[in-house]
Amino acid sequence: MGVSEHASGTSSGWRYDNPENDRIILSIYGPKGATKFCGVLSTSDARNLRDQLDMALNKIADARARTSVYVVVENAGYEGERDAQQCASYGDAIEWMTSKYSPKEIEEKRMAICRDIAGERSYDL
């Protein structure tokens, strides 16, 4: 099971009209645990923190996009190729394919497994 990333933040709220003492609570959860920041930030510090958080979330998204996915494909290499299932590992893809299709169906439907990394596919595993 994968580890989820989560970031949340709150401020003192719109009714609290004292920007010099606005209280910020920021929590970030990731694969290596969690961290929490609670403190008073100036307007420029809050802007810098938000910008840095945006950059960190973009890096997480880029890393996730480069993660390998194994795809069970029907009619592999032929017109009408269709993705049947995505799996996290090659073994999971084999297990899923053999549990859903008989050996005869696998041959008739030209089933294959490819590795997909950010849209780049390869059947050479």
Side-chain angles (χ1 to χ4, degrees):
M1 179 182 292
V3 177
S4 64
E5 295 91 13
H6 175 76
S8 65
T10 59
S11 67
S12 299
W14 63 273
R15 289 187 180 166
Y16 184 76
D17 191 16
N18 186 355
E20 287 80 30
N21 295 309
D22 195 9
R23 192 147 185 84
I24 303 292
I25 300 171
L26 178 68
S27 302
I28 302 173
Y29 305 90
K32 294 187 177 181
T35 186
K36 185 173 185 177
F37 168 81
C38 181
V40 177
L41 294 179
S42 68
T43 305
S44 62
D45 287 343
R47 186 178 305 115
N48 289 338
L49 180 61
R50 185 193 62 215
D51 291 346
Q52 290 176 9
L53 179 60
D54 287 344
M55 289 188 321
L57 292 175
N58 285 336
K59 286 181 182 180
I60 290 170
D62 290 346
R64 183 177 289 126
R66 290 190 301 271
T67 302
S68 294
V69 176
Y70 292 87
V71 183
V72 179
V73 180
E74 289 182 4
N75 216 22
Y78 293 89
E79 188 175 327
E81 184 174 284
R82 183 181 81 81
D83 293 355
Q85 179 72 16
Q86 287 188 2
C87 299
S89 70
Y90 183 75
D92 290 345
I94 291 283
E95 185 178 322
W96 184 87
M97 185 172 66
T98 56
S99 70
K100 299 293 180 189
Y101 299 94
S102 69
K104 184 178 179 182
E105 287 176 311
I106 291 171
E107 186 177 328
E108 288 174 352
K109 293 185 178 199
R110 298 182 183 105
M111 304 292 293
I113 297 172
C114 70
R115 182 176 61 221
D116 187 314
I117 301 174
E120 300 283 328
R121 289 197 168 181
S122 173
Y123 288 95
D124 298 326
L125 306 177

